[in-house]
Amino acid sequence: MKLPLFPLQSVFFPGETVPLHIFEERYKQLINDCRQEAVTFGIPVYIDNTISYGTEVQLVEVVNTYESGEMDVICIARQVFKVLSFENQMDEKLYAGGDVEFLDVKNDADEALRKEVLQKLEVLYDLMDVPFTKVSPKQFNSYSLAHKMGLSFEQEYQLLQIASEVDRLRFIKNHLETTTNVLQEINRTKTIIEMNGHFKNFDPLDYEDFKA
C-alpha cells in the first residue's frame, strides 16, 4: 500500500491520540488533502538516520487554524507498518510518500500475562511514589500504557516492531523487572547512606571461644 509519509523522531502506538502542530508547507498540503479526500498518512520513526517502521494515522480534527496557515490537529494512530520504499515527493505533491507493508499484529495474550505485567507496573509506580490508576486486565494491552513504563525511545521503537502481543508483554515484563531491581537497589543504598552517622545499638558478642 502507498501512503503519504510524515517522518518524525517519535513513536506512536495503535489507538494512541496524536496531537500535531503543522507549520511546514508540505504538511499543510498533506492535512488539507486528508480533509478533502479522507486519506490516512504514515508517521515513520526517524531513528539512526533511517526510517524502517512507523504507524498509520488518521486525521480526526483540525483544532486550530492560524492566519499563517499553521494548524493544530488531532489524529488517531491505527496500524503499524514497515517501510518498503521512500520518495521525497509523492505524486507531484510537496510531501513525501512510499510503499508500506502492514504488520500482522496478533492479540494472542491471555489475561494471566496481562495481569502479571500490570502488577509489576504497579510495583514500579509504588517504588517511584507515583499514583497508579487501576486498570482491568481485560482492558489492558501492551500499547495502552507503553509511554508510561519508563521505556527509552529505542525501547519504544523495539516494542513497535513486535507483532505478537505475548512477545510485547514479555518485553515489557523484562523491562519492568530490570527497572524495579535497579530502583530497589537504589532505595537500599539510600537507606544505608541515611543510616550513616546515626548512633547504632550493637548486640555484644560472646567472644570467649573466638580463635584468631
Side-chain angles (χ1 to χ4, degrees):
M1 180 177 179
K2 199 165 191 176
L3 277 181
L5 296 178
F6 185 166
L8 288 173
Q9 200 168 9
S10 300
V11 176
F12 298 108
F13 295 103
E16 180 180 353
T17 298
V18 182
L20 298 171
H21 178 69
I22 307 299
F23 58 92
E24 291 187 58
E25 291 302 321
R26 53 184 168 175
Y27 298 128
K28 291 178 191 175
Q29 185 186 65
L30 171 58
I31 295 301
N32 286 326
D33 285 351
C34 289
R35 296 175 78 177
Q36 294 170 12
E37 303 171 25
V39 295
T40 60
F41 62 97
I43 300 182
V45 182
Y46 180 75
I47 183 171
D48 297 329
N49 295 316
T50 62
I51 54 167
S52 297
Y53 288 86
T55 313
E56 177 198 26
V57 300
Q58 182 174 11
L59 177 67
V60 175
E61 181 183 5
V62 176
V63 180
N64 293 307
T65 302
Y66 302 90
E67 289 184 7
S68 62
E70 296 182 22
M71 292 174 272
D72 296 325
V73 304
I74 300 294
C75 302
I76 187 77
R78 294 175 46 166
Q79 303 178 75
V80 180
F81 60 79
K82 181 178 181 180
V83 179
L84 302 179
S85 67
F86 179 82
E87 52 191 279
N88 283 320
Q89 287 187 272
M90 176 181 176
D91 301 329
E92 300 182 351
K93 300 289 186 179
L94 296 176
Y95 50 81
D99 292 308
V100 304
E101 179 180 66
F102 291 109
L103 262 62
D104 183 16
V105 175
K106 299 179 177 64
N107 295 313
D108 50 358
D110 59 26
E111 188 173 334
L113 179 57
R114 294 197 296 271
K115 185 176 180 180
E116 184 180 7
V117 171
L118 271 175
Q119 288 172 339
K120 291 184 182 297
L121 184 59
E122 188 169 1
V123 169
L124 176 65
Y125 272 54
D126 185 58
L127 283 169
M128 296 189 301
D129 197 24
V130 174
F132 180 77
T133 303
K134 294 281 187 179
V135 180
S136 167
K138 292 181 180 179
Q139 298 175 328
F140 173 69
N141 64 59
S142 58
Y143 296 139
S144 59
L145 295 174
H147 291 307
K148 299 181 179 180
M149 299 179 183
L151 294 171
S152 67
F153 174 57
E154 291 76 14
Q155 287 174 315
E156 288 190 351
Y157 184 58
Q158 283 181 269
L159 183 66
L160 187 72
Q161 299 173 55
I162 301 173
S164 164
E165 177 70 355
V166 168
D167 292 338
R168 288 193 296 271
L169 288 175
R170 285 174 178 165
F171 178 88
I172 290 169
K173 178 184 169 185
N174 289 337
H175 162 75
L176 292 174
E177 288 173 346
T178 301
T179 306
T180 297
N181 289 339
V182 170
L183 285 176
Q184 287 173 334
E185 185 62 22
I186 289 172
N187 287 342
R188 186 188 71 83
T189 303
K190 180 181 177 183
T191 301
I192 292 172
I193 292 171
E194 289 173 346
M195 288 175 60
N196 189 33
H198 289 211
F199 290 103
K200 300 178 179 65
N201 183 22
F202 293 106
D203 291 331
L205 295 172
D206 181 2
Y207 51 84
E208 289 184 4
D209 295 327
F210 277 17
K211 293 181 181 179

